[in-house]
Amino acid sequence: MAAIEVINPATEQVLRSVEHTDAARVDDAVRRAQAAQRRWARLAPADRAGALRAFAAAVDAHIDELAALEVANSGHPIASAQWEAGNVRDVLQYYAASPERLSGKQIPVAGGIDVTFNEPMGVVGVITPWNFPMVIASWGIAPALAAGNAVLVKPAEWTPLTTMRLGELAVESGLDEDLLQVLPGQGPVVGERLVSHPGVRKIVFTGSTAVGKKVMTGAAAHVKRVTLELGGKSANIVFADCDLERAAATAPAGVFDNAGQDCCARSRILVQRNVYDRFMELLEPAVKGVVVGDPSSRDTEMGPLVSAAHRAKVASYVPDDAPVAFRGTAPAGPGYWFAPTVLTPQRTDRSVTEEIFGPVVTVLAFDDEHDAIALANDTAYGLSGSIWTDDLSRALRVSRAVEAGNLSVNSHSSVRYHTPFGGFKQSGLGRELGPDAPLHFTETKNVFIAIKEA
Ligand code: NAD
């Protein structure tokens, strides 16, 4: 079995070596998960709810450990990593309420009664990216388990450690060891086998749009269900009538959080032309003030990029002749650092049209509401976005017109575990989180029961 060395991106030191799962081991995991799923689905709903609450409690008792592991493996600032571990606990707790609430329907019919059951699908495969490893894994794991399924998780090659630890905590909390299995390994081996295996009934894939299309193609061979959470190139639209100081002060966090390695990053700032110069004056100190450095320090706001290869990709968007307006700072020495960077390119430049997934933001001017909407929608993506205006009617008009799944007005919030999350267009298919997520891991079965005439 091959292994991969997992590296601390802030120090470039090897953390440990992780064995990669091969296709035969995936097949074995599917067999064991199928048996575990049948045992799990037979449990009383209250017992499944209790088991998920126990899993949440185990995560809660290990918040510091999980956070430290994410700091080391992914370079996330400690404050962010602690929020992420807490989010995993909250997601598990929230969906622990579902087993007792998946009640189906009773529909009026002639000649009998008609009821629907929300049947579990069986074994679900969850394939995750490296940017928010444990959080994104939990968004698939928790509602899938709550709906009575078994789950096989394939973490990203570079960042498997917190997901592997979550798998251990599930077992320590009392879950059957075959019910939730973490299978570290390569996308083209483990990921592809999960997609092609007929015993895996649904794939939740979070990652790039290119690989998401492959997953969808592979899933079609079995008419396998898919949820796809893919790339983004979200707009942060700043109208002249907004609180410009706040819009400028918060714009860096809207794009540079997690060093821009965020599918919801507001990586295109669109500013109304008559306030463009003032906005840039306000943005400059905000960008230069972003604290970039040691992720284990509580003051740090932005850590390194995840790997040397990824830093090289991000750097390709900032060649020597790039239209750099200004940059923040980054440490010298070991670590995959990249300073926050603000570009003012033409509308057609690749830095405007492609997802960079790093701390690089483009700022473009627009003329009026119509131009802003056209510019915001001029992309194959449609994941998130922000709208800054103090005009309520405009806020609503633009919110309805922007083709994206998650918008925020006068803020940059996108993801709450109790509201639905997902993308329009090539940003994805289906929705995660929110009250309906467990239903997306069930099949609706309709049963008609005839009543004999007396
Ligand atoms: P990626 O597509 O390269 O990899 C994602 C996962 O897919 C990894 O686990 C990888 O090993 C696996 N994989 C690779 N090839 C595969 C194959 N042929 N079959 C099955 N699985 C395969 O993405 P990444 O570089 O890890 O993550 C960055 C991307 O993820 C960005 O585009 C980002 O926007 C996106 N993302 C989206 C969301 C969202 O919710 N919409 C959230 C986070 C990240």
Side-chain angles (χ1 to χ4, degrees), residues 51-77:
L52 289 174
R53 282 196 289 269
F55 185 10
V59 171
D60 189 51
H62 293 83
I63 296 276
D64 289 343
E65 182 197 339
L66 286 164
L69 211 49
E70 205 66 275
V71 171
N73 193 174
S74 305
H76 292 192

Side-chain angles (χ1 to χ4, degrees), residues 234-238 243-257 260 264-271 279-280 282-284 286-287 290 326 340-342 360-363 386 388 410-412:
S234 299
N236 175 8
I237 311 174
V238 180
D243 178 343
L244 205 63
E245 276 74 19
R246 254 189 83 215
T250 58
V255 58
F256 300 142
D257 186 50
C264 292
R266 273 59 166 178
S267 53
R268 293 182 298 149
I269 305 179
L270 315 180
V271 186
F279 180 83
M280 292 301 271
L282 293 165
L283 183 64
E284 183 164 357
V287 168
V290 176
F326 39 84
T341 301
V342 178
V360 180
V361 67
T362 59
V363 189
S386 302
W388 289 81
N410 295 331
S411 81
H412 298 298

Side-chain angles (χ1 to χ4, degrees), residues 128 130-131 154 157 192 205-208 229-231 263 355:
T128 61
W130 46 258
N131 62 330
K154 205 298 274 178
E157 289 85 332
E192 277 197 18
F205 172 84
T206 307
S208 60
E229 296 288 0
L230 310 175
C263 49
E355 183 184 45

Side-chain angles (χ1 to χ4, degrees), residues 127-132 136 139 154-158 185-193 195 205-212 214-215 228-232 261-264 310 355 357 381 383 421-423 427-428 432:
I127 302 173
T128 61
W130 46 258
N131 62 330
F132 288 107
I136 291 175
W139 298 353
K154 205 298 274 178
E157 289 85 332
W158 292 332
Q186 289 177 335
V189 179
V190 181
E192 277 197 18
R193 187 59 191 141
V195 172
F205 172 84
T206 307
S208 60
T209 296
V211 177
K214 271 196 204 170
V215 167
L228 303 174
E229 296 288 0
L230 310 175
Q261 303 167 124
D262 183 339
C263 49
C264 292
H310 187 58
E355 183 184 45
F357 222 56
Y381 297 114
L383 191 56
F421 174 72
S427 281
E432 294 195 283

